[in-house]
Amino acid sequence: MLANKTALVTGSTSGIGLGIAKALARQGANIVLNGFGDVEGPKAEIAALGAQVAYHGADMSKPNEIEAMMAYAATEFGRVDILVNNAGIQHVARIEAFPVARWDAIVAINLSSAFHATRLALPAMQAANWGRIINVASVHGLVGSSEKSAYVAAKHGVVGLTKVTALENATSGVTCNAICPGWVLTPLVQKQVDAKAAALGISNDDAKNLLLGEKEPSMQFTTPEELGELAVFFCSPAGANVRGVAWNMDGGWAAQ
Ligand code: NAD
């Protein structure tokens, strides 16, 4: 379905971003990966699906590096047809104890990076009259949780940016939508599981169940594979008039 299309997925060396990149690769898209840590492993996983794959290591907190990444993608594959703004980090602390540098980093990586990548991707999408911008927000783009001020503020911002991007392009073939996962067992969440297990002196499995039980009625983690299939739907012909939605995959979290 996505042959001859190019998808750039930020923060795709791990977790949800890698899951979405693999789902788009399975549909035939060329993939531009981004993120830190092991690069060769994720590149090999994409190549094994028969897709062309490239990588750029831009730090998504730095606008000049985002510009370099977008220029690189255009040079490698002609243009970016599908942009998935996914890179994100977390820090958990009450507001009065929240480190200022962590606030700035979360707003830069989780929110401002999506603005920069979007503003740079739009002109080519508009010229082609086809584009898909998919913002990985969170259920925390819709509801709050204690001790996640920066994350919740940034993710609510992402949902707002999604609506404006969708509206400004509503008469064109360029759509923008957000995905709002609940708990997904990636390294980002495993750190929170580990912290709970250590704080309460309980096992990893008990900590996972506690985390799910606090928020997610299904008592099940959403998977990167499921999120990848939702991204594929947004890119499909049936998704052509889905504009500006924030679509939960949260096991009922926000329905309560
Ligand atoms: P993860 O830690 O597994 O992956 C994060 C990715 O972002 C990695 O590839 C990492 O290298 C990259 N990254 C981090 N800082 C970066 C930077 N400055 N520049 C470039 N890349 C950077 O986390 P994940 O759980 O897969 O999270 C992906 C997205 O999904 C985030 O936006 C997160 O907020 C969101 N999300 C996660 C969950 C969850 O439960 N895991 C739930 C809702 C939303």
Side-chain angles (χ1 to χ4, degrees), residues 10-17 34-37 57-61 85-89 109-110 136-140 151 155 179-189 191:
T10 70
S12 47
T13 49
S14 168
I16 294 169
N34 157 262
F36 302 147
D59 179 339
M60 296 304 290
S61 69
N85 289 309
N86 166 78
I89 58 169
I109 296 165
N110 296 20
V136 179
S138 166
V139 68
H140 283 122
Y151 189 86
K155 293 298 187 180
I179 298 179
C180 297
W183 292 122
V184 187
L185 196 55
T186 64
L188 181 140
V189 162
K191 278 186 211 153

Side-chain angles (χ1 to χ4, degrees), residues 103-188:
W103 171 280
D104 288 343
I106 287 175
V107 171
I109 296 165
N110 296 20
L111 174 58
S112 299
S113 75
F115 160 70
H116 291 297
T118 297
R119 73 178 168 82
L120 295 162
L122 275 172
M125 291 179 179
Q126 289 161 346
N129 199 30
W130 197 93
R132 295 287 183 267
I133 299 176
I134 300 169
N135 293 327
V136 179
S138 166
V139 68
H140 283 122
L142 305 169
V143 299
S145 288
S146 296
E147 304 195 358
K148 295 186 176 173
S149 55
Y151 189 86
V152 169
K155 293 298 187 180
H156 274 68
V158 169
V159 171
L161 175 66
T162 302
K163 292 174 183 171
V164 175
T165 308
L167 289 174
E168 288 184 2
N169 294 281
T171 57
S172 80
V174 180
T175 73
C176 179
N177 294 289
I179 298 179
C180 297
W183 292 122
V184 187
L185 196 55
T186 64
L188 181 140

